[in-house]
Amino acid sequence: IRETEASKARLAALTPPAACVAHHRESLGSLDDALEMLRSLKAATGSPEPAALLASVASHANALRARAEAVKKEEQALRQRYVTGR
């Protein structure tokens, strides 16, 4: 969890170029989703009834997967436009 928090802080400290603002914002959101999933998993493992809390982990994992797919599409579009489109 600490490593993910540190990664988020490093990413948040960056000022992206205008074309990358959406990708930067979604990447930060992905890290937020990852942190929530990790915290939910930690809570579930320390709970007397972990099965009940694992549903929350699954929900956070689904949100993370959806956001990761959106970030990947945005990255591909940026690469197409600015790297291979030259």
Side-chain angles (χ1 to χ4, degrees):
I1 292 175
R2 279 184 241 136
E3 288 179 25
T4 304
E5 289 171 335
S7 294
K8 183 183 175 206
R10 285 190 303 273
L11 183 61
L14 298 175
T15 302
C20 300
V21 169
H23 184 271
H24 184 257
R25 182 180 55 248
E26 289 300 314
S27 294
L28 287 170
S30 289
L31 288 171
D32 283 335
D33 290 342
L35 283 166
E36 287 302 315
M37 186 184 71
L38 291 170
R39 289 177 181 132
S40 294
L41 185 58
K42 183 178 180 181
T45 59
S47 170
E49 299 225 12
L53 295 176
L54 287 177
S56 176
V57 173
S59 173
H60 290 298
N62 287 333
L64 179 59
R65 182 176 50 245
R67 190 173 300 235
E69 289 171 5
V71 169
K72 184 177 179 179
K73 285 180 185 177
E74 180 69 21
E75 179 183 347
Q76 289 170 339
L78 288 168
R79 286 184 185 277
Q80 180 68 33
R81 184 171 181 190
Y82 295 104
V83 177
T84 60
R86 288 187 182 176

